[in-house]
Amino acid sequence: MVVFSTSQSDANASVQSTFASRYATHCLPKYRLGESSIPKDAAYQIIHDELMLDGNPRLDLASFVTTWMEPECDKLMVESVSKNYIDMDANPVTTDLQNRCVNMIAHLFNAPFGEHETAVGVGTVGSSEAIMLAGLAFKRKWQNKRKAEGKPFDKPNLVTGANVQVCWEKFARYFEVELKEVKLSVGYYVMDPVKAVEMVDENTICVAAILGSTLTGEFEDVKTLNDLLTAKNKEMGYDTPIHVDAASGGFIAPFLYPELEWDFRLPLVKSINVSGHKYGLVYAGVGWVVWRSKDDLPDELIFHINYLGADQPTFTLNFSKGSSQIIAQYYQFIRLGFEGYKNIMGNCMANAEMLRKGLEKMGCFEILSKEVGVPLVAFSLKDSSKHTVFEIANSIRKFGWIIPAYIMPADAQEVAVLRVVIREEFSRSLAERLLSDFEKVMKELEELPSRIAQKVAQITAAEGEVKGGEGVVHKKMSVKETEDGVTKHWKRRLLDAGRKKTSGIC
């Protein structure tokens, strides 16, 4: 319940703009509607003040998502915020803008169609929906082929690396496809194309390669994967295709590495997804998926509706969605052009390189990310015997920075990583400030007593109580055993968090 005290003159009139705390004398209801309305100014002020406790998006270096756009684009988005994109008959211009974006992206990815032909693709709510749609297309094509051959079609599988984003796991679980993951190894944190092709069998609907791994930003070797898979398809009589998850790298590679073959120049690449809200430079959430040709998207997956006006084809998991992000994407395309995107991505890479060299110079970090890839810096501690990357991530937050610390997937679980994503709005000055803050944090940690020995002692004591209690004798642990104990502790915490909420590192 919220109690408002108003003067007699305000009793039957609209409340003048003023600070919200002059009206709210009790906490707002959090789980039920209040019994009465509140002044609009007070509602705004209360919510605005509570949101101040969120992190600063510009300092959130865990996220790839765009946090700044030009005021002119912001204005366009506000003007179109009430438009429902799905109503294509009422919004023909917005529909046309989406189709223009699809064609621009398809040409950028070297799709094999003529200058005046229409590309096959759709705007989505981020790359997660795009991946669901691409996966469904692969599954249906595989099922149709198996049915026509009179073979079983109830056990589809998908081959990926263990470094894939959680949306691939969601697709596999939601749509009943076995996920066959290529394990990683220490020093090699992307999918090995040789091992991936070895996993392919007659039930494989596709192999998913990542252009810009979430963990290290590295581009997977799609060209080698295409060549090896072509040979196996010929040998075994398969026609297993490739999907490229270019969520992060799709707006990097064409501008900085135009000679790199990863896209529709490779015959087995049948579909590609990319996130407009990452290096496409649009606010969340917009993604795109494009197909090589119409033959790669089964007709039965496309629905036709007419209850919003004229006949409207649709292939999406969502129905209603805003038009703002699509309009913003078109704005960025015509505003920046190829030259603008190339300059911005080049600046991001230059700042990433500056940060990488600064961290290397400190002498305590090992850089895991590659110079070719997404503009980010992933790094680990050379010596984890006294402190961990998780302590560093916690300590750096007092300066306002949000930097993720995480453990690598199987079979590289012994490696714990920090990662800094460089976006357009991360300037050289901010990079210098971050390095300075890292130096302060490392100096403070070195001056503190190691928390690791204490943490391991607590873990060991807790396990001893479970096993037998008071008479347990613990041997002195080596540095390696200490590090393993801490890693085990943090893995347990991450797994517990994952059971409460499934999320990706993005």
Side-chain angles (χ1 to χ4, degrees), residues 163-395:
N163 55 314
V164 291
Q165 214 262 1
V166 71
C167 58
W168 284 100
E169 298 177 44
K170 289 183 177 181
F171 167 75
R173 190 177 303 177
Y174 294 166
F175 296 104
E176 298 181 318
V177 175
E178 179 190 359
L179 192 65
K180 299 171 71 172
E181 293 185 337
V182 179
K183 305 295 185 187
L184 308 185
S185 60
V186 176
Y188 196 89
Y189 304 113
V190 292
M191 179 179 71
D192 184 335
V194 174
K195 294 179 181 178
V197 172
E198 288 174 354
M199 287 186 173
V200 170
D201 59 31
E202 63 180 357
N203 293 322
T204 303
I205 63 173
C206 78
V207 180
I210 305 177
L211 195 79
S213 171
T214 299
L215 302 176
T216 61
E218 188 175 350
F219 294 164
E220 293 186 339
D221 190 349
V222 188
K223 176 68 165 60
T224 297
L225 176 65
N226 178 86
D227 294 345
L228 293 173
L229 190 54
T230 298
K232 182 159 187 174
N233 284 345
K234 183 177 180 180
E235 176 187 356
M236 303 300 296
Y238 301 158
D239 58 358
T240 308
I242 296 172
H243 174 86
V244 179
D245 179 357
S248 299
F251 286 120
I252 300 290
F255 304 108
L256 298 186
Y257 315 109
E259 302 305 317
L260 182 67
E261 293 185 55
W262 63 273
D263 52 19
F264 291 120
R265 286 170 288 182
L266 303 175
L268 291 184
V269 174
K270 303 299 183 182
S271 56
I272 302 172
N273 69 277
V274 65
S275 291
H277 62 225
K278 292 183 179 178
Y279 291 99
L281 306 180
V282 177
Y283 296 139
V286 60
W288 303 92
V289 56
V290 289
W291 283 270
R292 186 181 192 87
S293 69
K294 292 181 180 179
D295 294 337
D296 297 306
L297 178 57
D299 290 335
E300 63 264 34
L301 294 179
I302 301 173
F303 289 82
H304 293 265
I305 61 170
N306 60 12
Y307 44 79
L308 292 176
D311 177 70
Q312 299 173 13
T314 174
F315 179 39
T316 58
L317 296 181
N318 299 283
F319 192 68
S320 295
K321 66 179 178 181
S323 299
S324 297
Q325 274 76 12
I326 290 172
I327 294 169
Q329 185 73 83
Y330 185 66
Y331 171 90
Q332 293 289 52
F333 283 169
I334 66 168
R335 164 78 173 94
L336 297 172
F338 192 95
E339 179 186 28
Y341 270 95
K342 182 177 180 178
N343 289 340
I344 289 171
M345 302 313 153
N347 290 339
C348 289
M349 290 300 296
N351 285 334
E353 175 68 8
M354 177 265 186
L355 183 63
R356 182 182 69 82
K357 289 182 177 178
L359 290 169
E360 283 182 325
K361 189 175 179 180
M362 291 174 63
C364 52
F365 296 117
E366 178 184 357
I367 306 300
L368 303 182
S369 50
K370 306 297 183 181
E371 294 185 27
V372 174
V374 175
L376 63 79
V377 184
F379 52 103
S380 62
L381 278 169
K382 290 182 178 179
D383 180 8
S384 299
S385 62
K386 289 183 64 179
H387 301 285
T388 69
V389 294
F390 303 97
E391 287 182 82
I392 296 172
N394 288 334
S395 297

Side-chain angles (χ1 to χ4, degrees), residues 12 57-58 69 100 105 136 141 193-194 226 251 276 445 502:
N12 298 313
R58 296 281 294 276
M69 298 186 73
R100 295 181 199 178
I105 293 169
L136 284 171
K141 281 208 69 174
V194 174
N226 178 86
F251 286 120
L445 288 177
T502 301

Side-chain angles (χ1 to χ4, degrees), residues 35-160:
E35 294 181 6
S36 59
S37 302
I38 67 173
K40 60 183 180 182
D41 307 288
Y44 169 82
Q45 190 71 56
I46 290 167
I47 298 171
H48 172 81
D49 290 351
E50 191 165 358
L51 288 173
M52 289 169 62
L53 298 174
D54 275 346
N56 185 336
R58 296 281 294 276
L59 299 182
D60 183 358
L61 305 182
S63 177
F64 293 82
V65 176
T66 297
T67 59
W68 179 85
M69 298 186 73
E70 292 177 326
E72 292 78 6
C73 193
D74 289 345
K75 184 179 178 181
L76 279 173
M77 295 184 74
V78 171
E79 290 172 352
S80 58
V81 73
S82 62
K83 287 186 180 180
N84 185 2
Y85 171 73
I86 199 63
D87 195 349
M88 301 176 189
D89 187 51
N91 302 304
V93 175
T94 301
T95 301
D96 189 40
L97 296 187
Q98 189 240 210
N99 294 337
R100 295 181 199 178
C101 288
V102 167
N103 277 266
M104 289 178 180
I105 293 169
H107 278 292
L108 193 65
F109 295 166
N110 295 294
F113 61 94
E115 182 68 27
H116 301 292
E117 290 184 76
T118 301
V120 182
V122 66
T124 59
V125 183
S127 276
S128 292
E129 183 188 9
I131 284 168
M132 302 288 173
L133 298 178
L136 284 171
F138 283 120
K139 181 181 178 182
R140 184 56 58 93
K141 281 208 69 174
W142 174 82
Q143 286 177 326
N144 290 344
K145 182 175 182 293
R146 298 284 289 182
K147 288 178 185 178
E149 295 172 346
K151 297 178 181 178
F153 54 89
D154 60 333
K155 293 182 179 180
N157 68 62
L158 169 74
V159 176
T160 69

